[in-house]
mmCIF file of all heavy atoms in Angstrom:
data_model
loop_
_atom_site.group_PDB
_atom_site.id
_atom_site.type_symbol
_atom_site.label_atom_id
_atom_site.label_comp_id
_atom_site.label_asym_id
_atom_site.label_seq_id
_atom_site.Cartn_x
_atom_site.Cartn_y
_atom_site.Cartn_z
ATOM 1 N N ILE M 1 0.828 -1.201 -0.002
ATOM 2 C CA ILE M 1 0.001 0.000 0.000
ATOM 3 C C ILE M 1 0.870 1.262 -0.001
ATOM 4 O O ILE M 1 0.614 2.225 -0.726
ATOM 5 C CB ILE M 1 -0.954 -0.008 1.213
ATOM 6 C CG1 ILE M 1 -1.952 -1.167 1.093
ATOM 7 C CG2 ILE M 1 -1.696 1.324 1.333
ATOM 8 C CD1 ILE M 1 -2.756 -1.413 2.357
ATOM 9 N N THR M 2 1.926 1.260 0.821
ATOM 10 C CA THR M 2 2.819 2.416 0.904
ATOM 11 C C THR M 2 3.498 2.694 -0.427
ATOM 12 O O THR M 2 3.570 3.850 -0.882
ATOM 13 C CB THR M 2 3.884 2.205 1.992
ATOM 14 O OG1 THR M 2 3.233 2.022 3.248
ATOM 15 C CG2 THR M 2 4.826 3.399 2.080
ATOM 16 N N GLU M 3 4.010 1.645 -1.074
ATOM 17 C CA GLU M 3 4.684 1.817 -2.360
ATOM 18 C C GLU M 3 3.729 2.370 -3.419
ATOM 19 O O GLU M 3 4.086 3.263 -4.195
ATOM 20 C CB GLU M 3 5.272 0.479 -2.828
ATOM 21 C CG GLU M 3 6.470 0.016 -2.027
ATOM 22 C CD GLU M 3 7.689 0.900 -2.281
ATOM 23 O OE1 GLU M 3 8.313 0.770 -3.338
ATOM 24 O OE2 GLU M 3 8.005 1.724 -1.398
ATOM 25 N N ILE M 4 2.523 1.834 -3.468
ATOM 26 C CA ILE M 4 1.533 2.301 -4.439
ATOM 27 C C ILE M 4 1.193 3.767 -4.196
ATOM 28 O O ILE M 4 1.121 4.578 -5.122
ATOM 29 C CB ILE M 4 0.261 1.437 -4.359
ATOM 30 C CG1 ILE M 4 0.564 0.026 -4.865
ATOM 31 C CG2 ILE M 4 -0.873 2.057 -5.159
ATOM 32 C CD1 ILE M 4 -0.527 -0.978 -4.571
ATOM 33 N N LYS M 5 1.021 4.124 -2.925
ATOM 34 C CA LYS M 5 0.675 5.507 -2.594
ATOM 35 C C LYS M 5 1.792 6.471 -2.978
ATOM 36 O O LYS M 5 1.533 7.620 -3.349
ATOM 37 C CB LYS M 5 0.382 5.613 -1.088
ATOM 38 C CG LYS M 5 -0.233 6.947 -0.683
ATOM 39 C CD LYS M 5 -0.662 6.926 0.772
ATOM 40 C CE LYS M 5 -1.318 8.243 1.161
ATOM 41 N NZ LYS M 5 -1.757 8.231 2.589
ATOM 42 N N GLU M 6 3.034 6.012 -2.924
ATOM 43 C CA GLU M 6 4.175 6.839 -3.300
ATOM 44 C C GLU M 6 4.410 6.863 -4.807
ATOM 45 O O GLU M 6 5.353 7.494 -5.285
ATOM 46 C CB GLU M 6 5.438 6.351 -2.588
ATOM 47 C CG GLU M 6 5.421 6.535 -1.081
ATOM 48 C CD GLU M 6 5.365 7.994 -0.665
ATOM 49 O OE1 GLU M 6 6.012 8.816 -1.337
ATOM 50 O OE2 GLU M 6 4.674 8.303 0.322
ATOM 51 N N GLY M 7 3.573 6.148 -5.551
ATOM 52 C CA GLY M 7 3.685 6.158 -6.998
ATOM 53 C C GLY M 7 4.674 5.158 -7.547
ATOM 54 O O GLY M 7 5.015 5.196 -8.732
ATOM 55 N N ARG M 8 5.134 4.233 -6.691
ATOM 56 C CA ARG M 8 6.101 3.240 -7.140
ATOM 57 C C ARG M 8 5.398 1.924 -7.489
ATOM 58 O O ARG M 8 4.209 1.762 -7.254
ATOM 59 C CB ARG M 8 7.168 3.031 -6.058
ATOM 60 C CG ARG M 8 8.021 4.284 -5.832
ATOM 61 C CD ARG M 8 9.177 4.005 -4.880
ATOM 62 N NE ARG M 8 8.741 3.837 -3.500
ATOM 63 C CZ ARG M 8 8.716 4.817 -2.598
ATOM 64 N NH1 ARG M 8 9.075 6.037 -2.922
ATOM 65 N NH2 ARG M 8 8.332 4.567 -1.358
ATOM 66 N N THR M 9 6.167 0.989 -8.053
ATOM 67 C CA THR M 9 5.637 -0.301 -8.488
ATOM 68 C C THR M 9 6.142 -1.383 -7.554
ATOM 69 O O THR M 9 7.299 -1.803 -7.654
ATOM 70 C CB THR M 9 6.072 -0.616 -9.937
ATOM 71 O OG1 THR M 9 5.640 0.449 -10.788
ATOM 72 C CG2 THR M 9 5.454 -1.921 -10.414
ATOM 73 N N PRO M 10 5.327 -1.866 -6.627
ATOM 74 C CA PRO M 10 5.810 -2.836 -5.635
ATOM 75 C C PRO M 10 5.845 -4.254 -6.178
ATOM 76 O O PRO M 10 5.245 -4.562 -7.210
ATOM 77 C CB PRO M 10 4.757 -2.724 -4.527
ATOM 78 C CG PRO M 10 3.497 -2.390 -5.266
ATOM 79 C CD PRO M 10 3.921 -1.496 -6.413
ATOM 80 N N ASN M 11 6.550 -5.126 -5.476
ATOM 81 C CA ASN M 11 6.542 -6.562 -5.772
ATOM 82 C C ASN M 11 6.398 -7.303 -4.444
ATOM 83 O O ASN M 11 7.402 -7.661 -3.811
ATOM 84 C CB ASN M 11 7.820 -6.987 -6.496
ATOM 85 C CG ASN M 11 7.700 -8.382 -7.081
ATOM 86 O OD1 ASN M 11 7.205 -9.295 -6.441
ATOM 87 N ND2 ASN M 11 8.135 -8.533 -8.318
ATOM 88 N N PRO M 12 5.167 -7.531 -3.997
ATOM 89 C CA PRO M 12 4.946 -8.136 -2.681
ATOM 90 C C PRO M 12 5.576 -9.514 -2.522
ATOM 91 O O PRO M 12 5.949 -9.901 -1.409
ATOM 92 C CB PRO M 12 3.417 -8.223 -2.594
ATOM 93 C CG PRO M 12 2.915 -7.228 -3.574
ATOM 94 C CD PRO M 12 3.914 -7.189 -4.684
ATOM 95 N N ASP M 13 5.702 -10.280 -3.622
ATOM 96 C CA ASP M 13 6.216 -11.650 -3.496
ATOM 97 C C ASP M 13 7.651 -11.681 -2.991
ATOM 98 O O ASP M 13 8.050 -12.621 -2.298
ATOM 99 C CB ASP M 13 6.122 -12.363 -4.847
ATOM 100 C CG ASP M 13 4.684 -12.663 -5.244
ATOM 101 O OD1 ASP M 13 3.913 -13.021 -4.350
ATOM 102 O OD2 ASP M 13 4.335 -12.510 -6.417
ATOM 103 N N VAL M 14 8.461 -10.669 -3.336
ATOM 104 C CA VAL M 14 9.841 -10.622 -2.866
ATOM 105 C C VAL M 14 9.874 -10.529 -1.345
ATOM 106 O O VAL M 14 10.634 -11.235 -0.670
ATOM 107 C CB VAL M 14 10.602 -9.443 -3.498
ATOM 108 C CG1 VAL M 14 11.989 -9.293 -2.881
ATOM 109 C CG2 VAL M 14 10.717 -9.636 -5.010
ATOM 110 N N PHE M 15 9.035 -9.668 -0.774
ATOM 111 C CA PHE M 15 9.022 -9.495 0.675
ATOM 112 C C PHE M 15 8.301 -10.641 1.367
ATOM 113 O O PHE M 15 8.617 -10.975 2.509
ATOM 114 C CB PHE M 15 8.378 -8.149 1.029
ATOM 115 C CG PHE M 15 9.332 -7.004 0.851
ATOM 116 C CD1 PHE M 15 9.392 -6.309 -0.339
ATOM 117 C CD2 PHE M 15 10.199 -6.638 1.861
ATOM 118 C CE1 PHE M 15 10.292 -5.264 -0.520
ATOM 119 C CE2 PHE M 15 11.102 -5.597 1.699
ATOM 120 C CZ PHE M 15 11.141 -4.906 0.511
ATOM 121 N N CYS M 16 7.349 -11.261 0.680
ATOM 122 C CA CYS M 16 6.684 -12.424 1.257
ATOM 123 C C CYS M 16 7.702 -13.537 1.491
ATOM 124 O O CYS M 16 7.694 -14.186 2.536
ATOM 125 C CB CYS M 16 5.568 -12.916 0.337
ATOM 126 S SG CYS M 16 4.672 -14.350 0.990
ATOM 127 N N ASN M 17 8.599 -13.746 0.536
ATOM 128 C CA ASN M 17 9.608 -14.794 0.685
ATOM 129 C C ASN M 17 10.597 -14.464 1.793
ATOM 130 O O ASN M 17 10.897 -15.303 2.641
ATOM 131 C CB ASN M 17 10.354 -15.010 -0.639
ATOM 132 C CG ASN M 17 9.502 -15.747 -1.652
ATOM 133 O OD1 ASN M 17 8.755 -16.645 -1.305
ATOM 134 N ND2 ASN M 17 9.594 -15.349 -2.909
ATOM 135 N N ARG M 18 11.113 -13.250 1.811
ATOM 136 C CA ARG M 18 12.131 -12.887 2.797
ATOM 137 C C ARG M 18 11.562 -12.785 4.209
ATOM 138 O O ARG M 18 12.164 -13.262 5.175
ATOM 139 C CB ARG M 18 12.800 -11.570 2.413
ATOM 140 C CG ARG M 18 13.840 -11.111 3.446
ATOM 141 C CD ARG M 18 14.478 -9.804 3.055
ATOM 142 N NE ARG M 18 15.316 -9.278 4.119
ATOM 143 C CZ ARG M 18 16.629 -9.093 4.036
ATOM 144 N NH1 ARG M 18 17.280 -9.423 2.939
ATOM 145 N NH2 ARG M 18 17.309 -8.590 5.050
ATOM 146 N N LEU M 19 10.403 -12.148 4.337
ATOM 147 C CA LEU M 19 9.889 -11.816 5.665
ATOM 148 C C LEU M 19 8.884 -12.819 6.225
ATOM 149 O O LEU M 19 8.716 -12.900 7.443
ATOM 150 C CB LEU M 19 9.251 -10.423 5.638
ATOM 151 C CG LEU M 19 10.180 -9.281 5.205
ATOM 152 C CD1 LEU M 19 9.414 -7.973 5.122
ATOM 153 C CD2 LEU M 19 11.363 -9.151 6.155
ATOM 154 N N ILE M 20 8.205 -13.571 5.350
ATOM 155 C CA ILE M 20 7.178 -14.494 5.819
ATOM 156 C C ILE M 20 7.596 -15.942 5.637
ATOM 157 O O ILE M 20 7.883 -16.655 6.605
ATOM 158 C CB ILE M 20 5.832 -14.232 5.093
ATOM 159 C CG1 ILE M 20 5.381 -12.781 5.312
ATOM 160 C CG2 ILE M 20 4.770 -15.206 5.610
ATOM 161 C CD1 ILE M 20 5.116 -12.401 6.752
ATOM 162 N N LYS M 21 7.691 -16.419 4.401
ATOM 163 C CA LYS M 21 7.948 -17.846 4.163
ATOM 164 C C LYS M 21 9.290 -18.308 4.706
ATOM 165 O O LYS M 21 9.412 -19.418 5.230
ATOM 166 C CB LYS M 21 7.857 -18.132 2.659
ATOM 167 C CG LYS M 21 6.448 -17.987 2.095
ATOM 168 C CD LYS M 21 6.416 -18.258 0.602
ATOM 169 C CE LYS M 21 5.008 -18.100 0.062
ATOM 170 N NZ LYS M 21 4.959 -18.293 -1.418
ATOM 171 N N PHE M 22 10.310 -17.475 4.568
ATOM 172 C CA PHE M 22 11.628 -17.839 5.083
ATOM 173 C C PHE M 22 12.058 -16.905 6.218
ATOM 174 O O PHE M 22 13.228 -16.838 6.558
ATOM 175 C CB PHE M 22 12.655 -17.813 3.942
ATOM 176 C CG PHE M 22 12.307 -18.770 2.833
ATOM 177 C CD1 PHE M 22 11.650 -18.334 1.707
ATOM 178 C CD2 PHE M 22 12.601 -20.114 2.953
ATOM 179 C CE1 PHE M 22 11.315 -19.220 0.680
ATOM 180 C CE2 PHE M 22 12.270 -21.014 1.948
ATOM 181 C CZ PHE M 22 11.620 -20.560 0.811
ATOM 182 N N GLY M 23 11.077 -16.181 6.779
ATOM 183 C CA GLY M 23 11.332 -15.270 7.885
ATOM 184 C C GLY M 23 10.511 -15.632 9.105
ATOM 185 O O GLY M 23 10.950 -16.386 9.976
ATOM 186 N N GLU M 24 9.293 -15.107 9.178
ATOM 187 C CA GLU M 24 8.426 -15.385 10.322
ATOM 188 C C GLU M 24 8.163 -16.888 10.482
ATOM 189 O O GLU M 24 8.100 -17.387 11.606
ATOM 190 C CB GLU M 24 7.090 -14.643 10.160
ATOM 191 C CG GLU M 24 7.190 -13.126 10.284
ATOM 192 C CD GLU M 24 7.562 -12.671 11.687
ATOM 193 O OE1 GLU M 24 7.334 -13.452 12.652
ATOM 194 O OE2 GLU M 24 8.078 -11.548 11.829
ATOM 195 N N PHE M 25 8.026 -17.582 9.375
ATOM 196 C CA PHE M 25 7.780 -19.020 9.442
ATOM 197 C C PHE M 25 8.942 -19.752 10.132
ATOM 198 O O PHE M 25 8.731 -20.641 10.957
ATOM 199 C CB PHE M 25 7.558 -19.585 8.042
ATOM 200 C CG PHE M 25 7.309 -21.065 8.015
ATOM 201 C CD1 PHE M 25 6.181 -21.602 8.606
ATOM 202 C CD2 PHE M 25 8.205 -21.930 7.406
ATOM 203 C CE1 PHE M 25 5.940 -22.964 8.599
ATOM 204 C CE2 PHE M 25 7.985 -23.299 7.391
ATOM 205 C CZ PHE M 25 6.842 -23.813 7.990
ATOM 206 N N TYR M 26 10.169 -19.370 9.810
ATOM 207 C CA TYR M 26 11.347 -19.959 10.460
ATOM 208 C C TYR M 26 11.260 -19.819 11.976
ATOM 209 O O TYR M 26 11.638 -20.717 12.726
ATOM 210 C CB TYR M 26 12.619 -19.254 9.986
ATOM 211 C CG TYR M 26 13.223 -19.767 8.700
ATOM 212 C CD1 TYR M 26 12.511 -20.589 7.841
ATOM 213 C CD2 TYR M 26 14.513 -19.421 8.343
ATOM 214 C CE1 TYR M 26 13.067 -21.048 6.663
ATOM 215 C CE2 TYR M 26 15.090 -19.878 7.160
ATOM 216 C CZ TYR M 26 14.353 -20.692 6.328
ATOM 217 O OH TYR M 26 14.907 -21.157 5.165
ATOM 218 N N ARG M 27 10.776 -18.661 12.411
ATOM 219 C CA ARG M 27 10.742 -18.386 13.848
ATOM 220 C C ARG M 27 9.568 -19.066 14.555
ATOM 221 O O ARG M 27 9.604 -19.261 15.764
ATOM 222 C CB ARG M 27 10.686 -16.869 14.079
ATOM 223 C CG ARG M 27 11.992 -16.165 13.725
ATOM 224 C CD ARG M 27 11.948 -14.689 14.056
ATOM 225 N NE ARG M 27 11.295 -13.915 13.018
ATOM 226 C CZ ARG M 27 11.918 -13.449 11.933
ATOM 227 N NH1 ARG M 27 13.192 -13.707 11.738
ATOM 228 N NH2 ARG M 27 11.262 -12.744 11.029
ATOM 229 N N LYS M 28 8.526 -19.426 13.791
ATOM 230 C CA LYS M 28 7.332 -20.011 14.387
ATOM 231 C C LYS M 28 7.456 -21.519 14.596
ATOM 232 O O LYS M 28 6.898 -22.068 15.548
ATOM 233 C CB LYS M 28 6.110 -19.730 13.495
ATOM 234 C CG LYS M 28 5.729 -18.254 13.383
ATOM 235 C CD LYS M 28 5.012 -17.757 14.611
ATOM 236 C CE LYS M 28 4.523 -16.327 14.390
ATOM 237 N NZ LYS M 28 3.829 -15.794 15.587
ATOM 238 N N ILE M 29 8.175 -22.180 13.680
ATOM 239 C CA ILE M 29 8.202 -23.638 13.748
ATOM 240 C C ILE M 29 9.244 -24.139 14.748
ATOM 241 O O ILE M 29 10.141 -23.399 15.156
ATOM 242 C CB ILE M 29 8.477 -24.259 12.357
ATOM 243 C CG1 ILE M 29 9.828 -23.784 11.806
ATOM 244 C CG2 ILE M 29 7.339 -23.941 11.407
ATOM 245 C CD1 ILE M 29 10.220 -24.434 10.496
ATOM 246 N N ASP M 30 9.116 -25.397 15.085
ATOM 247 C CA ASP M 30 10.038 -26.037 16.027
ATOM 248 C C ASP M 30 11.466 -26.015 15.468
ATOM 249 O O ASP M 30 11.693 -26.227 14.284
ATOM 250 C CB ASP M 30 9.582 -27.484 16.248
ATOM 251 C CG ASP M 30 10.296 -28.128 17.423
ATOM 252 O OD1 ASP M 30 11.468 -28.490 17.242
ATOM 253 O OD2 ASP M 30 9.684 -28.268 18.499
ATOM 254 N N LYS M 31 12.418 -25.765 16.325
ATOM 255 C CA LYS M 31 13.826 -25.668 15.908
ATOM 256 C C LYS M 31 14.385 -27.019 15.443
ATOM 257 O O LYS M 31 15.465 -27.067 14.852
ATOM 258 C CB LYS M 31 14.688 -25.145 17.064
ATOM 259 C CG LYS M 31 14.296 -23.751 17.554
ATOM 260 C CD LYS M 31 14.392 -22.723 16.451
ATOM 261 C CE LYS M 31 14.029 -21.341 16.982
ATOM 262 N NZ LYS M 31 13.992 -20.332 15.904
ATOM 263 N N SER M 32 13.639 -28.094 15.695
ATOM 264 C CA SER M 32 14.125 -29.402 15.279
ATOM 265 C C SER M 32 14.044 -29.614 13.766
ATOM 266 O O SER M 32 14.652 -30.546 13.237
ATOM 267 C CB SER M 32 13.341 -30.516 15.992
ATOM 268 O OG SER M 32 11.972 -30.473 15.628
ATOM 269 N N PHE M 33 13.297 -28.753 13.079
ATOM 270 C CA PHE M 33 13.243 -28.853 11.623
ATOM 271 C C PHE M 33 14.562 -28.333 11.045
ATOM 272 O O PHE M 33 14.908 -27.171 11.200
ATOM 273 C CB PHE M 33 12.069 -28.051 11.055
ATOM 274 C CG PHE M 33 10.729 -28.689 11.286
ATOM 275 C CD1 PHE M 33 9.889 -28.233 12.293
ATOM 276 C CD2 PHE M 33 10.320 -29.761 10.495
ATOM 277 C CE1 PHE M 33 8.659 -28.829 12.514
ATOM 278 C CE2 PHE M 33 9.090 -30.359 10.707
ATOM 279 C CZ PHE M 33 8.252 -29.902 11.718
ATOM 280 N N GLU M 34 15.279 -29.219 10.366
ATOM 281 C CA GLU M 34 16.589 -28.849 9.827
ATOM 282 C C GLU M 34 16.465 -28.011 8.567
ATOM 283 O O GLU M 34 17.313 -27.158 8.287
ATOM 284 C CB GLU M 34 17.398 -30.119 9.519
ATOM 285 C CG GLU M 34 17.690 -30.966 10.738
ATOM 286 C CD GLU M 34 18.245 -32.317 10.350
ATOM 287 O OE1 GLU M 34 19.382 -32.367 9.828
ATOM 288 O OE2 GLU M 34 17.552 -33.332 10.559
ATOM 289 N N LYS M 35 15.426 -28.264 7.786
ATOM 290 C CA LYS M 35 15.250 -27.553 6.526
ATOM 291 C C LYS M 35 13.798 -27.127 6.352
ATOM 292 O O LYS M 35 12.874 -27.736 6.902
ATOM 293 C CB LYS M 35 15.645 -28.444 5.337
ATOM 294 C CG LYS M 35 17.127 -28.831 5.287
ATOM 295 C CD LYS M 35 18.007 -27.678 4.830
ATOM 296 C CE LYS M 35 19.448 -28.103 4.678
ATOM 297 N NZ LYS M 35 20.325 -27.004 4.203
ATOM 298 N N VAL M 36 13.625 -26.062 5.550
ATOM 299 C CA VAL M 36 12.299 -25.612 5.126
ATOM 300 C C VAL M 36 12.252 -25.717 3.610
ATOM 301 O O VAL M 36 13.088 -25.146 2.910
ATOM 302 C CB VAL M 36 12.022 -24.164 5.575
ATOM 303 C CG1 VAL M 36 10.757 -23.637 4.913
ATOM 304 C CG2 VAL M 36 11.887 -24.095 7.090
ATOM 305 N N ALA M 37 11.288 -26.474 3.102
ATOM 306 C CA ALA M 37 11.188 -26.716 1.668
ATOM 307 C C ALA M 37 9.967 -26.001 1.089
ATOM 308 O O ALA M 37 8.945 -25.829 1.758
ATOM 309 C CB ALA M 37 11.093 -28.207 1.383
ATOM 310 N N SER M 38 10.085 -25.590 -0.167
ATOM 311 C CA SER M 38 8.979 -24.960 -0.874
ATOM 312 C C SER M 38 8.983 -25.422 -2.324
ATOM 313 O O SER M 38 9.904 -26.095 -2.785
ATOM 314 C CB SER M 38 9.088 -23.430 -0.802
ATOM 315 O OG SER M 38 10.172 -22.982 -1.608
ATOM 316 N N GLY M 39 7.950 -25.037 -3.057
ATOM 317 C CA GLY M 39 7.820 -25.421 -4.461
ATOM 318 C C GLY M 39 8.367 -24.396 -5.417
ATOM 319 O O GLY M 39 7.841 -24.238 -6.526
ATOM 320 N N HIS M 40 9.417 -23.682 -5.024
ATOM 321 C CA HIS M 40 10.024 -22.690 -5.913
ATOM 322 C C HIS M 40 10.921 -23.362 -6.957
ATOM 323 O O HIS M 40 11.599 -24.342 -6.676
ATOM 324 C CB HIS M 40 10.883 -21.701 -5.115
ATOM 325 C CG HIS M 40 10.084 -20.674 -4.372
ATOM 326 N ND1 HIS M 40 9.774 -20.823 -3.042
ATOM 327 C CD2 HIS M 40 9.547 -19.498 -4.778
ATOM 328 C CE1 HIS M 40 9.073 -19.761 -2.652
ATOM 329 N NE2 HIS M 40 8.914 -18.963 -3.680
#
């Protein structure tokens, strides 16, 4: 929303990967998981 309001062209998927799928998710799951896999 901020990027659009500033007139820029955002790419939410880049931040979803860094901050959510490989960010917040890492912190939420049990530390015993050695790897996190995705369909990328």
